[in-house]
């Protein structure tokens, strides 16, 4: 099935053009919500082996396009491939999440990390997955490439995994700010080289995930996050860019000053508030509470329509964070189909 109108819909909306309806996709759509994904995943001893097999990654990327009819594909990979490329290995522990056996503690640890094009060269498997996906999609929908934002990657490298408080990572910003800047710059240089290669391999749009943005004090977000996000956006003029900074409602004005076209919102930020802070400059993406999809079909429809009305155009529909793995597939379908059946009033 070729659906080139959907392709254009997503990219036209990303560029701020008027569309008949908003496009829709879901963060973490390539994953455990789909039985096809779980079957494919079983063929591999672990998550990393899966991510490093380009043909399988391409298959997982396309599954939600076939099954859910979303308007964009996002390459199946993880934000943690960047620390690994820089020399910091991670393990993905089943049902628990990522763990780094070795973490960044001092200046020497930072000095030893690879960075820039040299580090990004080891991620050939991601570029290959993008090339295969692009070919197999036959232009049906655009392909989104992604990376973690520098602050979120630093947080994983210093904490060694997820955290309730991120106090080790935040401590670094107060106790050793010059080390933090050195590490953030190395991550940024690597991310730029990585994303340039993703674009060369066929990514039509890039999203930066700043999952732990909301952990920082506003002044720290200004100092330790925004300058690096700006560098990355400025280095990729060829494609539209989305910044999804979870919990960073306090930084919307500064995010608005970056050269990205799209700002992702989580469900704690109302579209009205975001518009007030951003003006008409950016396209907004989001922001239904992922838990809405546990509701019944009527609830999902009503909440989805209410959300679209609140955004009033210049909007790419998504959830306010990644879809939870145990979300009923029927709930996801109702969400996507509600949007696909919708038309803006002219
Ligand atoms: O569909 C997509 O969005 C594309 C694939 C994708 C994955 N991870 C696959 C994945 C994307 C875009 C990510 C981004 C990612 N990874 C983020 C940013 C988004 C967010 O959620 O805030 C973060 C913080 C990570 C780090 C990460 N990866 C964690 C914390 C975990 C464990 C928790 C979990 O969901 O299991 C992962 C593992 C992971 N990444 C899985 C998938 C499909 C599950 C592992 C499995 O299937 O075995």
């Amino acid at each position: 099935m070729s659906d080139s109108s959907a392709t254009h819909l997503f990219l036209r909306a990303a560029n701020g053009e008027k569309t008949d309806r908003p496009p829709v996709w879901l963060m973490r759509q390539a994953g455990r919500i789909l039985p096809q994904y779980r079957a494919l995943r079983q063929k591999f001893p672990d998550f990393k082996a899966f991510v490093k097999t380009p043909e399988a990654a391409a298959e997982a990327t396309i599954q939600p396009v076939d099954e859910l009819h979303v308007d964009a594909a996002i390459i199946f990979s993880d934000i943690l491939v960047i620390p690994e490329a820089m020399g910091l290995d991670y393990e993905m522990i089943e049902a628990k999440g990522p763990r780094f056996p070795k973490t960044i503690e001092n200046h020497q640890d930072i000095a030893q990390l690879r960075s820039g094009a040299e580090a990004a060269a080891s991620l050939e498997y991601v570029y290959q997955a993008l090339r295969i996906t692009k070919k197999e999609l036959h232009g049906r929908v655009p392909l989104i490439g992604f990376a973690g934002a520098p602050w979120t990657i630093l947080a994983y490298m210093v904490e060694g995994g997820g955290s309730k408080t991120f106090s080790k990572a935040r401590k670094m910003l107060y106790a050793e700010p010059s080390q933090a800047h050195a590490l953030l710059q190395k991550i940024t240089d690597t991310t730029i080289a990585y994303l340039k290669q993703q674009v060369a391999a066929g990514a039509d749009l890039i999203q930066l995930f700043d999952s732990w943005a909301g952990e920082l004090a506003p002044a720290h977000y200004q100092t330790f996050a925004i300058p690096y996000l700006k560098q990355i956006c400025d280095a990729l003029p060829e494609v539209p860019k989305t910044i999804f900074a979870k919990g960073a409602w306090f930084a919307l004005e500064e995010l608005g000053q970056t050269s990205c076209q799209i700002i992702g919102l989580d469900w704690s930020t109302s579209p009205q508030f975001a518009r007030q802070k951003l003006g008409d400059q950016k396209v907004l993406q989001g922001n239904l509470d992922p838990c809405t999809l546990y509701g019944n079909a009527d609830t999902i429809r009503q909440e989805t329509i209410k959300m679209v009305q609140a955004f009033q155009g210049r909007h790419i529909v998504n959830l306010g964070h990644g879809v939870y793995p145990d979300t009923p597939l029927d709930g996801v379908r109702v969400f996507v189909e509600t949007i696909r059946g919708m038309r803006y009033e002219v």
Side-chain angles (χ1 to χ4, degrees), residues 27-32 37 41 47 74-80 92 97-98 146 156 209 211 321:
M27 291 186 275
R28 306 296 282 269
Q29 66 189 15
R32 287 163 296 184
Y37 172 87
R41 169 79 172 76
F47 175 73
I74 179 161
I75 192 68
F76 180 74
S77 185
D78 202 89
I79 64 169
L80 302 177
M92 192 62 80
F146 72 89
Y156 277 111
F209 286 92
S211 304
H321 198 194

Side-chain angles (χ1 to χ4, degrees), residues 119-295:
S122 66
L123 296 169
E124 183 54 37
Y125 61 88
V126 181
Y127 316 136
Q128 184 61 9
L130 283 157
R131 284 189 289 265
I132 297 171
T133 306
K134 189 78 178 172
K135 188 159 162 270
E136 292 183 352
L137 275 173
H138 298 295
R140 288 161 65 198
V141 292
L143 180 54
I144 303 172
F146 72 89
W151 153 248
T152 287
I153 297 299
L154 175 146
Y156 277 111
M157 293 172 90
V158 172
E159 295 282 344
S163 164
K164 281 216 169 82
T165 58
F166 288 91
S167 55
K168 274 192 200 156
R170 289 192 289 123
K171 172 181 160 189
M172 189 188 222
L173 308 187
Y174 289 99
E176 299 290 348
S178 63
Q179 276 180 27
H181 280 299
L183 179 52
L184 288 163
Q185 192 59 55
K186 278 194 145 181
I187 297 167
T188 301
D189 294 344
T190 309
T191 304
I192 288 173
Y194 176 51
L195 293 176
K196 277 183 177 292
Q197 295 250 45
Q198 288 196 31
V199 172
D204 296 297
L205 180 145
I206 292 295
Q207 175 153 327
L208 297 169
F209 286 92
D210 211 351
S211 304
W212 310 124
E215 300 298 320
L216 289 186
H220 267 179
Y221 201 74
Q222 278 265 40
T223 308
F224 294 102
I226 294 284
Y228 301 99
L229 292 169
K230 277 191 171 157
Q231 284 185 44
I232 297 171
C233 289
D234 290 348
L236 296 162
E238 313 91 313
V239 288
K241 293 147 301 270
T242 302
I243 301 178
F244 172 65
K246 186 167 183 293
W249 55 270
F250 54 79
L252 279 168
E253 277 166 8
E254 291 78 16
L255 289 166
Q257 284 155 18
T258 69
S259 60
C260 78
Q261 286 76 358
I262 305 150
I263 304 277
L265 301 181
D266 65 78
W267 67 95
S268 72
T269 306
S270 73
Q272 294 86 333
F273 179 83
R275 273 286 165 236
Q276 207 185 322
K277 296 289 172 192
L278 289 165
D280 281 337
Q281 290 299 316
K282 307 288 183 191
V283 172
L284 297 176
Q285 177 173 279
N287 74 342
L288 199 71
D289 180 345
C291 285
T292 312
L293 305 188
Y294 295 105

